[in-house]
Amino acid sequence: MTVSTAYPADAEGVCVITVDHPPVNALPVQGWYELADAVRAGGRDPEVRCVILTAAGRGFNAGVDIKELQRDPGNAALIAVNRGCAEAFDAVYACEVPVVAAVRGFCLGGGIGLVGNADAIVASEDAVFGLPELDRGALGAATHLARLVPQHLMRTLYFTARTVTAAELLAHGSVWQVVPAAELLEAALELAAEIARKDGHLLRLAKAALNGIDPVDVRRSYRFEQGFTFEASLAGTADRVRDTFGKEA
């Protein structure tokens, strides 16, 4: 698991946090906590006025490491990853400065939790977004998908486990810009640098103010969802569905 932080010389006040966990950036418990720590550290840095969250490899994020859950005969791993995801999502939401998500390729499951809590999204033309939770024996992150698309579309996407493209999210106004994959980081840096030119103290006040007027408490809402994930696990439903993972015809 690798979470790295860089400070581009040509973008003063910006830090870039990159996740690199092959093969598909499906994070284990430790990974979610490492990501949370990196985002919080970036926000606390008085020299940072905007954070970019991105990923290396084949896609932005494929959610949790299902194999880690399958190796655990009990519920310890599920409880731990529930808490880890909540920590990472909250770190993005509560980051003291704006967070720009730079997304390419797949953004699934936990990836939706991250970008749904970000302040702005720049995506590559090949980016796709979705919650395959019902196909993976889990529930959750509808809270965050609802921040990206209208209510009825959110429900349809959730129930079908289908995805939407970056272009479709651009049409809904939740993605700021869609660019060729090769230009993704440049576009994210351009937006982050524009934000970072503002006064750092005012940016922090603005972030706190905007979070304060949100109509939905994203922390409480997501933890409520996670309770149903645990219920599905206790009932045996989650294991039955999860055991089909990777075996679909």
Side-chain angles (χ1 to χ4, degrees):
M1 174 66 200
T2 300
V3 177
S4 60
T5 302
Y7 301 86
D10 57 347
E12 184 180 353
V14 175
C15 81
V16 179
I17 296 171
T18 304
V19 176
D20 187 3
H21 187 70
V24 293
N25 289 323
L27 301 185
V29 172
Q30 179 185 354
W32 292 108
Y33 280 104
E34 288 182 12
L35 178 55
D37 289 344
V39 173
R40 289 193 174 110
R44 286 194 300 264
D45 187 337
E47 300 301 317
V48 171
R49 295 183 294 283
C50 189
V51 169
I52 293 176
L53 177 60
T54 191
R58 292 164 54 188
F60 179 78
N61 187 282
V64 305
D65 184 350
I66 296 292
K67 293 180 180 178
E68 183 179 40
L69 298 180
Q70 291 173 321
R71 288 193 296 267
D72 179 13
N75 293 306
L78 176 62
I79 293 171
V81 81
N82 275 0
R83 291 176 175 171
C85 285
E87 285 292 316
F89 300 170
D90 182 61
V92 173
Y93 182 77
C95 183
E96 296 179 28
V97 299
V99 176
V100 174
V103 181
R104 69 178 181 84
F106 45 79
C107 178
L108 305 172
I112 295 294
L114 296 172
V115 302
N117 272 357
D119 297 284
I121 305 168
V122 177
S124 63
E125 293 170 338
D126 66 345
V128 292
F129 302 76
L131 288 178
E133 313 305 272
L134 292 185
D135 290 340
R136 301 294 183 259
L139 298 166
T143 292
H144 310 93
L145 184 59
R147 295 165 68 84
L148 301 176
V149 298
Q151 181 69 212
H152 283 83
L153 178 55
M154 179 275 287
R155 288 170 176 261
T156 303
L157 292 172
Y158 199 85
F159 292 142
T160 62
R162 292 177 64 169
T163 60
V164 290
T165 66
E168 288 172 300
L169 290 189
L170 180 68
H172 288 295
S174 50
V175 163
W176 172 255
Q177 187 178 14
V178 178
V179 298
E183 300 173 16
L184 177 63
L185 186 56
E186 179 184 355
L189 282 168
E190 182 179 345
L191 175 59
E194 181 178 351
I195 293 170
R197 286 194 286 271
K198 309 300 182 185
D199 180 85
H201 183 220
L202 281 178
L203 276 174
R204 284 169 164 79
L205 291 176
K207 177 66 182 279
L210 291 177
N211 282 3
I213 64 172
D214 261 339
V216 173
D217 183 336
V218 296
R219 301 176 176 115
R220 182 172 59 82
S221 180
Y222 177 59
R223 291 297 276 168
F224 177 81
E225 288 187 74
Q226 286 187 319
F228 289 96
T229 297
F230 194 64
E231 182 177 325
S233 181
L234 291 178
T237 306
D239 288 339
R240 175 171 50 79
V241 175
R242 193 178 296 127
D243 286 344
T244 67
F245 179 67
K247 301 176 184 177
E248 295 91 341

